[in-house]
Amino acid sequence: MKLARKMPIMAALGIGMLLPLGTMNDNVAMAASEGIHVDQVGYLEDYSKVAMISLKGDSKDFSLVDTATGKTVYQGKLTDKAYDEMSGEYVARADFSDFKVPGTYKLVAGGEESADFAIGKNVYAVPALQNWRSYTLSRSNTPMNDKLTGLKIVSGHAQDKEAQVYFTDKLNKKGDVVDASGGWYDAGDYGKYTTTAAIASAELMMAYEANPDKFFKGQLFFPEGVQEENMPDALSEVKFELEFMKKMQRSDGSTFHKISGAQWPGFDKSPDTDTQQRYLYSTCTASTAMYGASMAMAGRVYADIDKAFAKDCLKNAEKAWAYLAKEKESVYRVDEGQESGSGPYNDTADATERCWLAAELFRTTGDKKYEKYLMTEQKDVITRKPSFFTWDDTLALAQFSYAKAAKANPEFKAKVQAALISYADDIVGTIGKDGFDCSLKQNEYTWASTKNAVTKGDILLLANQLAPKQAYVEGALSQIHYMFGRNVLNKSFMTGVGENPPEHPHNRIHESTGAYVPGLLVGGPNAVSGGDPDQTEYIAKYNPAPAKCYIDVLMSWSTNEYAIDYCGAGIYALSYFMQPDKNIKADDLKLTRDFPLWDFK
């Protein structure tokens, strides 16, 4: 008898294909939650391998089946079911950690079967490269012809070379023309923001800095039209973003906050056809500090690869520091109309960002004035227990960087490191209580929850570099499993990855060009009503458990949009566990299925 595979109802129905803007399809039903929940990419040979089972009945056994031969290769006993509050389901566990034979398999239990998955030493290599390439395919002002995805762009937003300043202050007059070309589009829109540019580029540089031997030239299979630097592709990609960020810095060391159009472009507008005037909006001390931190990091990361570039980045970081030394108060400038076509990223408390800047400058230069600032003016901030890092809270990044600084004061370093380790231990505790080994607490199923979970895994990997512990590594790996489908929805939250990835991400490039870009990490479950009309209606109608508050529809931007900082969290985790493999071919990164897109006709 052929075993039926349980998939979420919304995936089976293809919800979103003909969905009117801002409304849910009448066929939307709450996602099916019964099933065998696995990492749809796979499991590493030498780490734990666990699937979660939420099936009706009293199944006691499970089997591992080789998909190539159809033969059962492993059998085991399920644990007793336990209630999982975040998913609202009774969940058993199938542990096959002691099986280490490479291959492709599926799990069978209770007359059902899982998605196929791999076991091997390098199962995350291809998804990691797709994740990295998603930045290349999000480049603005770049002609490209990508044969792997079919994405063709002549030169998106060429008008960024003549962006206009939106406001008047002591440095600029409204209408001043500034070259703000280059850089990555932030998310499903075409805005470019200094905050997320800074944290995303930092996450990518951190991935390189942790394991530089994993990266090499030619690794990302750059499409036609993308200039290759004489360095590992990963650093070439980050350099493209850093060069854009330099253009956002003003003469006094501060930065413009963002560049976008004055109206949200329609989903029929490609980067080439969105020709509206682009404006530089706002100044913000938090984003200036984040800019400086990423530049200070670049001054270190590129020092032996591109010395002139590294020196210039460090100079810009010091310039940002000098500005903030004079501007003591947190500033977020607001002018009427500045949010009409872009997101705010309105960080109005900049203490953690200032700490991050000081820590990166200290780690790069060893200059004790930066440490003195942390030990005096920011002592109470830098030594407190952090949260997962994000665009409005970079404390954990500051603590890690200071703890890695060669000349750090031993006693103060111990206090800073203890705060970060304490939080890492809290994360391990949360994972141990969750039915799916997810790190999210109930109040963390918010906008960008998948990024939050993976970032908490990143925190564990940072902690492991400071105080090695196997529970940190396994905990981080569990967040990858969650990201790739070992969740109550059986949903991979990365486009093009796994058997059931997002089909209708909130992404104007996808919808306007017809190209489906793999490697984009979408927000995931958002249990806070009001995120967007579809999500709000979904919650009101079905009252789902927090882990089920996700819908794969185009206009659910609060659950199904990607952003460069989301992808950065994935980059760090996947890069940590991947191995360099020069035998991977471009064709290995191609999609193996078609994805339906919005129909504008």
Side-chain angles (χ1 to χ4, degrees), residues 447-481:
W447 200 307
S449 68
T450 307
K451 183 265 295 182
N452 297 346
V454 179
T455 302
K456 292 177 87 170
D458 293 346
I459 293 283
L460 295 180
L461 296 176
L462 298 180
N464 188 64
Q465 294 177 58
L466 302 175
K469 186 182 293 186
Q470 189 62 22
Y472 294 160
V473 179
E474 289 285 359
L477 198 52
S478 289
Q479 307 321 295
I480 293 178
H481 295 327

Side-chain angles (χ1 to χ4, degrees), residues 155-425:
S155 183
H157 294 91
Q159 67 269 40
D160 285 0
K161 291 182 179 293
E162 296 182 344
Q164 294 183 11
V165 178
Y166 188 74
F167 57 87
T168 296
D169 67 1
K170 62 183 180 181
L171 294 182
N172 287 106
K173 292 181 179 179
K174 188 170 184 176
D176 283 353
V177 175
V178 176
D179 179 358
S181 59
W184 306 316
Y185 297 120
D186 176 68
D189 63 294
Y190 297 138
K192 298 184 292 189
Y193 308 83
T194 304
T195 47
T196 48
I199 197 167
S201 60
E203 287 171 312
L204 272 59
M205 285 187 285
M206 289 169 63
Y208 176 87
E209 194 167 29
N211 295 286
D213 293 340
K214 293 185 178 184
F215 303 96
F216 52 87
K217 187 173 172 60
Q219 188 175 28
L220 297 183
F221 306 103
F222 284 141
E224 294 177 17
V226 173
Q227 180 180 352
E228 296 187 42
E229 301 271 0
N230 188 26
M231 61 182 67
D233 286 356
L235 291 187
S236 181
E237 189 56 55
V238 179
K239 183 179 178 182
F240 180 79
E241 180 75 345
L242 294 168
E243 292 283 23
F244 154 72
M245 289 167 59
K246 288 181 181 180
K247 298 174 183 178
M248 298 292 278
Q249 188 169 34
R250 306 207 295 166
S251 60
D252 66 346
S254 68
T255 56
F256 292 112
H257 188 57
K258 62 180 178 178
I259 172 176
S260 75
Q263 291 84 38
W264 295 100
F267 278 83
D268 58 340
K269 293 294 185 182
S270 69
D272 292 330
T273 59
D274 179 29
T275 57
Q276 63 176 305
Q277 176 64 49
R278 304 266 280 182
Y279 296 97
L280 289 158
Y281 295 102
S282 188
T283 59
C284 174
T285 51
S287 55
T288 296
M290 293 174 70
Y291 164 88
S294 62
M295 287 291 163
M297 185 183 294
R300 180 173 73 246
V301 170
Y302 289 85
D304 295 329
I305 296 171
D306 189 337
K307 291 183 179 180
F309 177 72
K311 184 178 180 181
D312 191 52
C313 287
L314 182 56
K315 181 182 71 174
N316 289 355
E318 292 169 335
K319 191 175 179 180
W321 171 268
Y323 163 76
L324 291 168
K326 297 176 182 177
E327 182 58 78
K328 300 290 188 181
E329 300 298 319
S330 182
V331 173
Y332 175 72
R333 181 187 176 98
V334 178
D335 294 283
E336 184 177 355
Q338 73 179 36
E339 326 293 11
S340 61
S342 55
Y345 288 105
N346 50 334
D347 189 352
T348 57
D350 63 11
T352 64
E353 289 70 45
R354 289 175 185 257
C355 285
W356 185 31
L357 170 59
E360 294 295 351
L361 280 169
F362 178 57
R363 184 179 176 188
T364 298
T365 69
D367 190 328
K368 286 288 187 177
K369 73 179 180 182
Y370 303 119
E371 182 182 51
K372 181 180 179 181
Y373 171 79
L374 293 172
M375 295 178 68
T376 55
E377 295 186 46
Q378 298 289 2
K379 179 181 178 180
D380 292 340
V381 177
I382 194 70
T383 56
R384 76 185 184 209
K385 185 181 294 188
S387 179
F388 53 85
F389 55 86
T390 183
W391 60 265
D392 61 353
D393 186 349
T394 58
L395 180 56
L397 294 175
Q399 291 170 329
F400 176 74
S401 188
Y402 178 75
K404 293 286 285 184
K407 296 183 179 181
N409 177 285
E411 293 182 3
F412 194 64
K413 173 183 173 179
K415 293 179 181 178
V416 172
Q417 181 169 313
L420 185 61
I421 295 299
S422 177
Y423 180 54
D425 290 338

Side-chain angles (χ1 to χ4, degrees), residues 430-458:
T430 301
I431 292 170
K433 297 174 183 177
D434 187 85
F436 288 84
D437 290 354
C438 179
S439 63
L440 295 173
K441 297 180 179 179
Q442 184 166 357
N443 66 350
E444 292 171 339
Y445 282 93
T446 59
W447 200 307
S449 68
T450 307
K451 183 265 295 182
N452 297 346
V454 179
T455 302
K456 292 177 87 170
D458 293 346

Side-chain angles (χ1 to χ4, degrees), residues 124-142:
Y124 298 122
V126 168
L129 297 183
Q130 289 173 320
N131 199 188
W132 275 96
R133 283 191 96 245
S134 71
Y135 287 92
T136 305
L137 302 183
S138 298
R139 287 190 182 196
S140 67
N141 309 109
T142 303

